Amino acid sequence: MAEKKRFQAIKGTRDLLPPETELWNRVEATAREVFGTYGFGEIRPPIFEPTELFARAVGGETDIVSKEMYSFPDHSLWDLEGQRTYILLARPDAGNPNSVQLFVSALDKFIDQLANAASSREIPATSDNDRGFERLRAGSDRISSFLVPHATNLLDQFDLTVGHIQQAAALIKLGDLVSLRPEATASVCRAYIEHNMNQWPQPVKLYYLGPMFRRERPQKGRYRQFYQIGAEVLEREVAGGEGRVASKELEKDAAVDAEVIEMVMTFFDRLKLPGTQLDINSIGHNAPECRRGYVEKLRGALLEVKEQLGEDSRRRIETNPLRVLDSKLEHEQAIIAALPKIGDCLCDDCAKHYAEVKRQLGLRGIPYKENWRLVRGLDYYMRTTFEITAKGLGSQNAVCGGGRYDGLVELLGGPATKGIGFAIGEDRLVLSLQEAAKEVASGEWGVASEKGACDVYIAWMGQKTQETAIKAAQMLRGAGLRVELPAMEQKFGKALGQADRLGARHALILGEDEVASGLWTLKKLADGTQEKVAAGDVVKRVKESKSLRVRPHP
Ligand code: ATP
Ligand code: MG
């Protein structure tokens, strides 16, 4: 018998269970509702995409792409993969014709099957693969010659040849590399291009919700499978905009940015998420007279204080100086405060755009805090960046990050397109709402996270009663009430105990008397009062007492 094994969710993943999932559903329903009022429609992209899409969009140098993605070759050629593994692990011995023979046979079989798979287009026809085949064939010819017993002075050559064969085998791509999505903006842009959305009425406003995957170190508010709710506004860029036109476009973009931010804040307000703070910044655009100039200035200033910086920051001076501004290290804070600020280095257009975003936020009554150190970890952002933090989350307190990414669609092979969007971390949002509910125990979420929330528990006893109990359950459920109908009849005391454990609000007691008279017994479990109600009035009575429940707000 197989060994008994207790399976557990993979590290960094978890099961979301009732009643907590009630809160998740409510959060999602609220998102759909609020985003709908702003004219956004839902997009559901696939959960995996070509690795290259993320490498290009998110940026090969970012942590996400360089070390956090779950990637795998997409093929089902397990036989070939097995043969490859055999070849890679083999250590044939030139002095032992048998072992050479085995290696040569395995290699020839591998080459044959590769050729078959290639001709039936089961493996990608790339020039790398073509080159790989050639090297394998050449290696096979050369290694066969060692089967003829001869000069052992060729031993070095033998090992070298085996090495070349193994290298070539390792590099053959049996399938395209795909990745579980670490974020969804790249997918939305891919979809925009694929479905020619530049022909749709502009701008195109889309939202999504669902799981994302990043191989990070799990901790509070940080998981390997986590959930995001996000939205994107994509818009065809007008050609040749200069002077007045360009200036109008800048104003329009700023209004779009502000409306997107307004939408997130409205969503958070609707959820009564306490203690939110909106930080905004402009990181300019990728040009020498703007961000690139700033980055050089920053690098220069960082080199001067290099000795005082920690290891991470020191490395980032070369790789990505902006990320130094992100540092949370206590002793670096004073040093960072004295560094040059991006706000002083923005080009005229970016400065104008940023000023207009702030004016627009003002028009909409949205409080914000300017934070020149807000840079964000993804490569594609330009101009507006923003982040929203909430309470009760410890150091992982960012619930939403977003920004403008004009040019990303073009980078992915599409037409010139402007973009702005955000992603909310749903896990953290839910965590923060739960923390808030703990503080105000009777708060709205306190009610939602009560156990089970069952409206009616049907306590039926006596075989002849079951049919009436089933009909009663159908009627109550048809009216949208939550009903528990025990599968077996129960003793009265046990039934009430069970109703209590489920947090039921009412027990509907059905015995032979009730069935005969058509007058059912309805017991309110909060105060134990009970009354006889005509079968036809039960739905009404339950609903009345439900609406009497007080729902104090925090
Ligand atoms: P952080 O600085 O917290 O790592 P980030 O800059 O990597 O965030 P984004 O890629 O902008 O985050 O994603 C947007 C939001 O998604 C974050 O603000 C956060 O709420 C959430 N998020 C990101 N990574 C995780 C994760 N591993 N687990 C849970 N939520 C996450
Ligand atoms: Mg991160």
Side-chain angles (χ1 to χ4, degrees):
M1 209 178 77
E3 193 191 334
K4 252 199 193 167
K5 181 172 168 154
R6 264 175 71 115
F7 289 101
Q8 281 187 318
I10 288 172
K11 186 173 170 198
T13 73
R14 60 203 179 123
D15 301 303
L16 301 171
L17 304 172
E20 188 185 311
T21 37
E22 294 258 323
L23 180 49
W24 284 75
N25 284 331
R26 243 170 113 168
V27 164
E28 289 166 14
T30 308
R32 292 177 196 284
E33 205 178 294
V34 172
F35 297 175
T37 63
Y38 282 80
F40 282 68
E42 182 178 357
I43 177 171
R44 297 194 191 195
I47 273 170
F48 60 107
E49 301 258 12
T51 302
E52 209 188 330
L53 173 70
F54 301 117
R56 261 219 252 161
V58 180
E61 295 303 310
T62 57
D63 284 354
I64 295 180
V65 169
S66 63
K67 52 183 200 234
E68 295 172 0
M69 281 209 293
Y70 285 96
S71 305
F72 56 94
D74 181 23
H75 68 75
S76 55
L77 304 165
W78 299 114
D79 209 22
L80 265 176
E81 197 64 89
Q83 288 164 26
R84 164 165 43 204
T85 308
Y86 177 85
I87 289 166
L88 293 183
L89 297 178
R91 292 284 170 268
D93 170 6
N96 174 351
N98 243 344
S99 85
V100 179
Q101 180 64 59
L102 276 174
F103 184 71
V104 170
S105 315
L107 179 59
D108 287 346
K109 189 169 159 208
F110 182 58
I111 293 174
D112 271 0
Q113 292 201 4
L114 267 185
N116 279 340
S119 66
S120 60
R121 301 191 163 275
E122 283 178 277
I123 57 179
T126 61
S127 53
D128 279 355
N129 271 356
D130 288 347
R131 223 168 304 131
F133 292 156
E134 266 165 45
R135 286 173 56 193
L136 282 174
R137 286 212 179 86
S140 157
D141 290 346
R142 225 170 314 133
I143 203 104
S144 305
S145 66
F146 288 91
L147 282 172
V148 191
H150 61 25
T152 41
N153 60 355
L154 287 179
L155 263 187
D156 279 0
Q157 297 249 344
F158 179 82
D159 286 345
L160 209 64
T161 306
V162 170
H164 285 156
I165 290 170
Q166 290 176 331
Q167 256 180 21
L171 291 177
I172 296 278
K173 260 173 80 177
L174 295 181
D176 292 321
L177 209 53
V178 299
S179 297
L180 300 184
R181 62 183 186 192
E183 55 108 57
T185 302
S187 303
V188 174
C189 290
R190 196 246 329 116
Y192 181 89
I193 300 168
E194 189 170 334
H195 304 285
N196 295 316
M197 292 189 204
N198 60 335
Q199 304 299 321
W200 294 14
Q202 303 288 300
V204 174
K205 301 194 269 188
L206 299 168
Y207 76 87
Y208 59 83
L209 24 97
M212 307 293 155
F213 305 85
R214 295 184 195 173
R215 200 168 191 295
E216 302 193 78
R217 195 168 69 77
Q219 51 194 291
K220 183 182 177 193
R222 201 181 282 296
Y223 309 96
R224 291 181 170 181
Q225 172 171 342
F226 62 101
Y227 294 78
Q228 285 188 339
I229 302 177
E232 318 285 351
V233 179
L234 292 156
E235 182 169 17
R236 194 169 52 222
E237 211 158 324
V238 285
E242 268 179 41
R244 238 181 68 81
V245 180
S247 158
K248 281 278 158 218
E249 283 295 307
L250 278 181
E251 277 174 35
K252 189 173 86 180
D253 295 350
V256 173
D257 293 2
E259 191 179 69
V260 164
I261 293 173
E262 179 191 314
M263 181 169 89
V264 193
M265 297 310 279
T266 305
F267 170 52
F268 287 163
D269 275 355
R270 193 69 61 85
L271 291 173
K272 302 196 167 60
L273 180 70
T276 52
Q277 179 183 310
L278 165 67
D279 280 25
I280 61 166
N281 191 21
S282 173
I283 56 167
H285 79 298
N286 190 10
E289 72 277 15
C290 197
R291 182 167 66 230
R292 262 191 274 160
Y294 170 67
V295 169
E296 281 323 305
K297 209 165 149 186
L298 184 64
R299 184 175 276 137
L302 284 168
L303 282 172
E304 279 174 31
V305 293
K306 186 172 175 180
E307 295 315 311
Q308 294 147 259
L309 295 173
E311 201 183 316
D312 280 346
S313 294
R314 247 184 276 173
R315 197 183 57 245
R316 287 180 172 146
I317 297 179
E318 291 316 318
T319 58
N320 193 348
L322 284 177
R323 289 298 302 279
V324 176
L325 306 180
D326 246 357
S327 160
K328 307 268 185 316
L329 287 183
E330 197 58 49
H331 84 276
E332 291 185 344
Q333 300 309 309
I335 306 168
I336 294 172
L339 291 169
K341 320 255 181 301
I342 188 151
D344 302 327
C345 302
L346 294 178
C347 68
D348 286 352
D349 279 357
C350 286
K352 225 187 268 173
H353 174 268
Y354 187 37
E356 183 61 13
V357 169
K358 289 184 278 186
R359 193 182 76 88
Q360 283 282 343
L361 287 173
L363 288 181
R364 292 155 204 271
I366 301 191
Y368 58 85
K369 199 172 141 243
E370 286 185 73
N371 175 359
W372 69 276
R373 286 176 53 176
L374 181 66
V375 289
R376 323 257 329 107
L378 308 162
D379 273 0
Y380 49 61
Y381 285 117
M382 54 106 61
R383 290 192 180 147
T384 308
T385 56
F386 62 98
E387 191 166 274
I388 301 163
T389 49
K391 283 205 311 189
L393 294 173
S395 54
Q396 262 64 57
N397 65 348
V399 282
C400 174
R404 174 163 282 278
Y405 50 84
D406 297 0
L408 177 58
V409 169
E410 212 171 350
L411 183 77
L412 297 176
T417 308
K418 298 193 279 195
I420 162 102
F422 62 81
I424 294 165
E426 194 177 356
D427 306 72
R428 294 185 196 172
L429 175 56
V430 166
L431 206 61
S432 182
L433 289 170
Q434 286 170 327
E435 290 296 322
K438 264 188 224 160
E439 274 174 36
V440 192
S442 57
E444 192 167 1
W445 299 123
V447 174
S449 55
E450 262 171 20
K451 26 180 193 176
C454 162
D455 294 314
V456 182
Y457 188 94
I458 300 185
W460 61 278
M461 46 229 76
Q463 278 310 313
K464 276 182 249 154
T465 315
Q466 189 172 25
E467 194 181 344
T468 308
I470 291 171
K471 294 270 159 60
Q474 288 173 344
M475 179 177 79
L476 291 160
R477 286 173 177 151
L481 294 164
R482 296 185 184 217
V483 177
E484 276 308 318
L485 176 67
M488 299 287 288
E489 67 172 324
Q490 289 171 326
K491 294 230 164 63
F492 189 66
K494 191 174 168 210
L496 287 190
Q498 183 73 358
D500 209 42
R501 266 191 295 283
L502 289 174
R505 290 186 246 282
H506 302 89
L508 179 63
I509 299 159
L510 296 177
E512 278 164 20
D513 285 354
E514 278 83 359
V515 173
S517 67
L519 284 178
W520 297 353
T521 305
L522 188 64
K523 185 178 176 82
K524 241 193 253 170
L525 291 167
D527 55 15
T529 56
Q530 63 180 56
E531 57 179 335
K532 292 269 185 194
V533 182
D537 291 338
V538 168
V539 167
K540 207 173 111 224
R541 292 297 292 150
V542 171
K543 285 198 164 171
E544 274 168 12
S545 86
K546 194 176 172 181
S547 70
L548 282 180
R549 257 179 339 114
V550 265
R551 258 195 187 212
H553 289 303

